[in-house]
Amino acid sequence: MRIGIFDSGIGGLTVLAAARQAMPGHEIVYLGDTARIPYGTRSPLTVVRYSLAVASHLVQHERVEALVVACNTASTHALPALQAACQTLDIPVFGVVEPGVEAALEAHTGGAVAVLGTAGTVGGGAYQRALAARAPTLEVHAVPCPLFVPLVEEGWLHGDVPRQVAEAYVGFLRDRATTVILGCTHYPLLTDVLGEVLPGARLVDSAHATARAVSAVLGAGEGSGGVEFLVTDHVERFQHVGAHFLGTVPSPVRWVDLGPAVPPFTSP
Ligand code: DGL
């Protein structure tokens, strides 16, 4: 199968890496909407419009047969709209929030849970609702951390600056939250710094849980695999920053221009 995975930028590469491990026999097309990043500070309606435009491109021009929304902000605001748009073509659409919550509750052994995310993800409340539905008495702290995304995009992953930012956002959770959900696909890159600020807390990200959920439906694939990368802005910058995520320079990368969303999607 051809699976489309998208994020506002490079954060979704954490999901891509997990998806390749879990489903080596499927072809993957990764689209980073780098011309429009960040999604996390934008209104729900804008995130829905951007997400539909990305999905429309992936379905109609790249012929993907399944879609993974590797962005918590887009999963929070746009998942129902994407699922509705893809339904007519029988294209399954997977988000990252539900698998992230499952993984967190599997790991949780008591105490409070924290969710760190973009302003959009925290404001949209998808994590809080999913946690409350499964564990109604759980103490949950949802914390927007808007400066984490630009830090990661700059490759500023270690040292005093990210540590001070992390301390300002989440220092109050020390000795309070035992499980911390990294509710943004960029945040796993800050694991070292967050571990220093929140020693002893379990840091859970949704990348592997999402890959597991997708492979449970699509299987591991029987083809030769392979990945193609698409971006809506600088190719070189994506390759430079993306190397932090993948450990190798993403390649090949192709620039694409997204047209307007054209739902309901039609066959290519
Ligand atoms: N990676 C996106 C997420 O998981 C956030 C980045 C952005 O603000 O665009 O929410």
Side-chain angles (χ1 to χ4, degrees):
M1 280 182 89
R2 262 170 96 69
I3 303 174
I5 299 183
F6 83 90
D7 179 47
S8 56
I10 52 172
L13 292 176
T14 52
V15 178
L16 169 74
R20 289 191 76 187
Q21 272 178 16
M23 299 176 288
H26 291 302
E27 277 175 44
I28 298 180
V29 182
Y30 180 92
L31 193 152
D33 191 10
T34 47
R36 294 175 166 98
I37 193 173
Y39 281 14
T41 52
R42 302 193 192 277
S43 69
L45 182 59
T46 297
V47 174
V48 170
R49 284 177 46 237
Y50 286 0
S51 301
L52 285 172
V54 169
S56 176
H57 179 88
L58 286 171
V59 169
Q60 302 193 93
H61 296 283
E62 310 297 335
R63 304 177 322 282
V64 303
E65 301 156 272
L67 199 60
V68 180
V69 186
C71 172
N72 290 267
T73 312
S75 293
T76 296
H77 295 313
L79 198 61
L82 290 165
Q83 286 171 333
C86 289
Q87 197 177 16
T88 45
L89 290 178
D90 223 8
I91 291 177
V93 183
F94 303 87
V96 285
V97 172
E98 291 288 329
V101 165
E102 298 277 334
L105 292 179
E106 261 169 41
H108 192 57
T109 51
V113 170
V115 181
L116 315 185
T118 65
T121 297
V122 171
Y127 273 101
Q128 297 93 312
R129 282 192 297 278
L131 286 165
R134 288 171 180 73
T137 58
L138 189 66
E139 181 184 336
V140 176
H141 300 271
V143 187
C145 305
L147 288 179
F148 281 178
V149 168
L151 281 173
V152 171
E153 290 278 328
E154 285 300 317
W156 213 336
L157 309 176
H158 305 280
D160 289 343
V161 173
R163 196 178 311 112
Q164 279 173 19
V165 173
E167 176 63 36
Y169 283 142
V170 303
F172 76 101
L173 294 170
R174 202 160 33 245
D175 304 323
R176 199 181 282 187
T178 50
T179 300
V180 176
I181 302 177
L182 306 181
C184 171
T185 50
H186 282 69
Y187 296 0
L189 275 282
L190 293 171
T191 295
D192 289 349
V193 159
L194 287 166
E196 288 168 31
V197 173
L198 300 173
R202 253 170 256 101
L203 305 179
V204 178
D205 75 70
S206 53
H208 288 280
T210 301
R212 260 203 316 275
V214 177
S215 67
V217 177
L218 304 183
E222 287 164 9
S224 51
V227 187
E228 208 184 323
F229 298 91
L230 311 179
V231 290
T232 53
D233 203 356
H234 292 293
V235 169
E236 295 76 18
R237 182 174 159 76
F238 178 81
Q239 289 185 305
H240 176 71
V241 184
H244 290 297
F245 283 72
L246 293 180
T248 57
V249 176
S251 169
V253 184
R254 179 158 49 92
W255 178 85
V256 291
D257 189 21
L258 298 182
V262 197
F265 299 158
T266 53
S267 295

